[in-house]
């Protein structure tokens, strides 16, 4: 196996700039080409980042491309990833990998038949803050995790996104859109889930767009916008997860985990950095410090100040796993288990019963300082 994989990006929208600009930080990757159903979008990114714009067919037939990075919209993830696998390329997708377990099992079958790898974002659990939380848990900082509570809530997407329709249709909704970050992090910290239960609802059957250019247009809501879920882990831990776009403000923390010897306060799983806090049995909550993880270092300015952004770390880890012949942290098994958890939550809400999961996975290997440095150029 070569020491660098040729990367072709399909889907040249909003998030593609993050991949184009951050991929050069990492070993094992060389972005060579890009494509989009909108040829103009591909041309624009190609000029911006010095790669070749191709049609989707040309990119899939390009012998220099080893991995296709799928940055299309959620509904297109399955057909685009399937076409890439059938063309003999490894695949790394943005979240959610697919919209149903059946689609994911189909990708698994094709990948296995062809000896190819499939990986998927989110990779934010590889961030300095989340790996610090992982180390603290692994070192026994709060004892055995017995329960927890996660909240990802806000008023919605129609006030900022120019075309928010898809967020409110099947395949959208807060659990499939934001849930992947929380679930990937819970798998990182606690391991696989055994069964789920949920109650789901929607505050309104329509939403009124207040962003431009469609300000005032009324769009239908066809998927739950408030989901109160309960996850039972194989370890025995039980965690509540509330995901909603019907909440104007709240005071809940993103993620709190409770153990036999203390509590852990995990920052927003949508980001690589943040402050990790913990208490012991003395209830004295203090910041967890003491290491300088490379994926926690500020490398970007944002409207909220400097931040750590190492998106593509999961892709780099997958590339190195292929080069080194080891397990990838953002693997198909883990991401498909995440899809199983999210779709089972929605099923539980619709059917009013607990749902046993049919998939499982292992916890990903921790990514300590040395392992993270090994991914960087
Ligand atoms: N924007 C973000 O901040 C963000 C952050 C994290 C993850 N994501 C995820 O990344 C993915 C893309 O999001 P985005 O915000 O970049 O969306 P976007 O709408 O800005 O871009 C998507 C691009 O994919 C193209 N496309 C759609 N269907 C296609 C197909 N069948 N074949 C080829 N190209 C196709 C579109 O023309 C568009 O250029 C989503 O899955 C989203 O959940 C986005």
């Amino acid at each position: 196996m070569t020491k660098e994989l040729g990367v072709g990006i399909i889907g040249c929208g909003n998030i593609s700039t993050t991949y184009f600009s951050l991929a050069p930080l990492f070993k094992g990757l060389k972005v060579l080409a890009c494509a989009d159903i909108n040829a103009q979008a591909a041309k624009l990114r190609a000029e911006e980042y010095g790669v070749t714009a191709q049609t989707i067919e040309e990119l899939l037939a390009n012998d220099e491309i080893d991995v296709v990075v799928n940055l299309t919209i959620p509904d297109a993830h399955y057909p685009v990833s399937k076409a890439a696998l059938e063309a003999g390329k490894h695949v790394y997708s943005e979240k959610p990998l697919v919209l149903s377990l059946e689609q994911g099992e189909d990708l698994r079958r094709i990948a296995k038949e062809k000896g190819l790898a499939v990986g998927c974002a989110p990779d934010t659990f590889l961030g300095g803050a989340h790996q610090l939380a992982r180390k603290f848990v692994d070192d026994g900082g709060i004892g055995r995790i017995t329960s927890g509570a996660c909240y990802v809530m806000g008023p919605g997407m129609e006030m900022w996104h120019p075309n928010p329709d898809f967020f409110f249709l099947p395949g959208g909704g807060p659990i499939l859109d934001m849930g992947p970050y929380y679930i990937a992090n819970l798998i990182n910290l606690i391991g696989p889930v055994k069964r789920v239960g949920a109650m789901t609802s929607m505050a309104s059957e329509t939403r009124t767009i207040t962003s431009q250019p469609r300000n005032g247009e009324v769009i239908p809501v066809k998927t739950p916008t408030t989901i109160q879920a309960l996850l039972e882990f194989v370890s025995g831990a039980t965690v509540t997860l509330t995901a909603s776009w019907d909440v104007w403000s709240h005071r809940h923390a993103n993620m709190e985990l409770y153990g036999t010897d203390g509590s852990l306060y995990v920052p927003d799983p949508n980001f690589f950095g943040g402050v990790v806090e913990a208490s012991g049995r003395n209830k004295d909550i203090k910041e967890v410090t003491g290491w300088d993880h490379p994926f926690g270092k500020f490398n970007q300015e944002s409207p909220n100040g400097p931040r750590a952004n190492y998106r593509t770390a999961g892709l780099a880890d997958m590339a190195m796993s292929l080069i080194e012949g080891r397990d990838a942290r953002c693997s198909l098994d883990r991401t498909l288990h995440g899809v199983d958890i999210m779709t089972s939550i929605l099923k539980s809400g619709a059917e009013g019963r607990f749902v046993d999961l049919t998939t499982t996975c292992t916890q990903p290997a921790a990514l300590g300082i040395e392992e993270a440095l090994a991914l960087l150029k």
Side-chain angles (χ1 to χ4, degrees), residues 91-111:
V91 169
Y92 185 85
S93 175
E94 249 306 333
K95 53 82 189 166
L97 174 71
V98 284
L99 299 182
S100 72
L101 195 53
E102 292 70 31
Q103 291 178 344
E105 291 294 3
D106 196 36
L107 295 187
R108 173 144 58 194
R109 178 186 59 76
I110 303 168

Side-chain angles (χ1 to χ4, degrees), residues 10-11 13-15 36-37 56 71-72 76-77 94-95 181 311:
I10 301 186
N14 194 319
I15 198 68
D36 196 293
I37 37 167
I56 293 164
L71 306 182
T72 62
H77 286 176
E94 249 306 333
K95 53 82 189 166
Y181 296 103
R311 279 178 205 251

Side-chain angles (χ1 to χ4, degrees), residues 203-287:
S204 168
E205 289 182 357
T206 59
R207 315 277 290 209
T208 304
I209 300 178
T210 55
S211 62
Q212 295 301 340
R214 295 169 59 197
N215 189 5
E217 202 179 311
V218 175
I219 56 172
V221 179
K222 300 280 184 198
T223 193
T225 46
T226 292
I227 295 105
Q228 312 256 22
L230 185 56
L231 286 67
E232 183 184 9
F233 287 77
V234 171
S235 72
T238 52
V239 175
T240 56
L241 167 62
T242 301
S244 179
W245 286 335
D246 296 323
V247 173
W248 290 99
S249 72
H250 68 91
R251 284 180 172 164
H252 290 289
N254 293 100
M255 184 178 282
E256 299 191 351
L257 297 176
Y258 314 121
T260 49
D261 293 321
S263 297
L264 181 67
Y265 302 84
V266 182
D268 191 340
N270 192 6
F271 298 101
F272 281 75
V275 174
V276 180
E277 293 178 302
S279 85
R281 291 186 172 200
N282 62 5
K283 304 178 194 165
D284 187 11
I285 300 171
K286 288 208 171 89
E287 184 174 347

Side-chain angles (χ1 to χ4, degrees), residues 34-308:
C34 64
D36 196 293
I37 37 167
N38 172 0
Q40 196 52 34
K43 188 166 174 281
L44 194 73
R45 291 286 181 259
E47 282 166 7
E48 229 172 323
Y49 293 98
V51 304
T52 307
Q54 297 195 294
T55 64
I56 293 164
E57 294 68 30
E58 284 168 351
L59 190 147
L60 293 180
N62 183 339
D63 288 340
E64 292 187 327
I65 302 296
D66 302 296
V67 188
V68 165
V69 175
N70 183 353
L71 306 182
T72 62
I73 52 171
D75 201 33
H77 286 176
Y78 169 63
V80 169
S81 293
K82 185 174 175 167
L85 288 173
E86 282 170 345
K89 313 295 187 196
H90 303 293
V91 169
Y92 185 85
S93 175
E94 249 306 333
K95 53 82 189 166
L97 174 71
V98 284
L99 299 182
S100 72
L101 195 53
E102 292 70 31
Q103 291 178 344
E105 291 294 3
D106 196 36
L107 295 187
R108 173 144 58 194
R109 178 186 59 76
I110 303 168
K112 195 170 171 204
E113 270 171 25
K114 297 199 167 250
L116 295 166
V118 177
C120 187
D123 54 4
T124 40
F125 73 89
L126 301 177
H130 302 295
Q131 289 298 320
L132 175 59
R134 169 72 186 265
K135 181 169 163 31
F136 196 73
V137 169
D138 287 355
D139 290 348
I142 57 167
R144 177 172 49 83
I145 296 174
T146 55
S147 65
C150 306
Y151 293 90
V152 52
M153 306 193 294
M157 314 307 250
E158 68 274 29
M159 49 289 291
W160 67 271
H161 200 284
N163 291 302
D165 314 60
F166 77 90
F167 286 115
F168 300 101
L169 298 175
I175 200 78
L176 282 165
D177 185 61
M178 293 306 293
Y181 296 103
Y182 288 72
I183 284 162
N185 212 9
L186 288 169
I187 292 173
N188 173 49
L189 293 169
I190 312 179
V193 173
K194 191 159 64 179
R195 65 172 177 157
V196 297
M199 287 193 184
T200 60
S201 62
M202 56 177 78
S204 168
E205 289 182 357
T206 59
R207 315 277 290 209
T208 304
I209 300 178
T210 55
S211 62
Q212 295 301 340
R214 295 169 59 197
N215 189 5
E217 202 179 311
V218 175
I219 56 172
V221 179
K222 300 280 184 198
T223 193
T225 46
T226 292
I227 295 105
Q228 312 256 22
L230 185 56
L231 286 67
E232 183 184 9
F233 287 77
V234 171
S235 72
T238 52
V239 175
T240 56
L241 167 62
T242 301
S244 179
W245 286 335
D246 296 323
V247 173
W248 290 99
S249 72
H250 68 91
R251 284 180 172 164
H252 290 289
N254 293 100
M255 184 178 282
E256 299 191 351
L257 297 176
Y258 314 121
T260 49
D261 293 321
S263 297
L264 181 67
Y265 302 84
V266 182
D268 191 340
N270 192 6
F271 298 101
F272 281 75
V275 174
V276 180
E277 293 178 302
S279 85
R281 291 186 172 200
N282 62 5
K283 304 178 194 165
D284 187 11
I285 300 171
K286 288 208 171 89
E287 184 174 347
V288 180
T289 54
W291 77 345
D292 197 14
H293 195 282
F295 297 167
K297 284 192 203 311
F298 292 146
N299 61 343
Q300 271 188 354
E301 282 304 322
S302 80
N304 302 321
R307 70 173 178 191

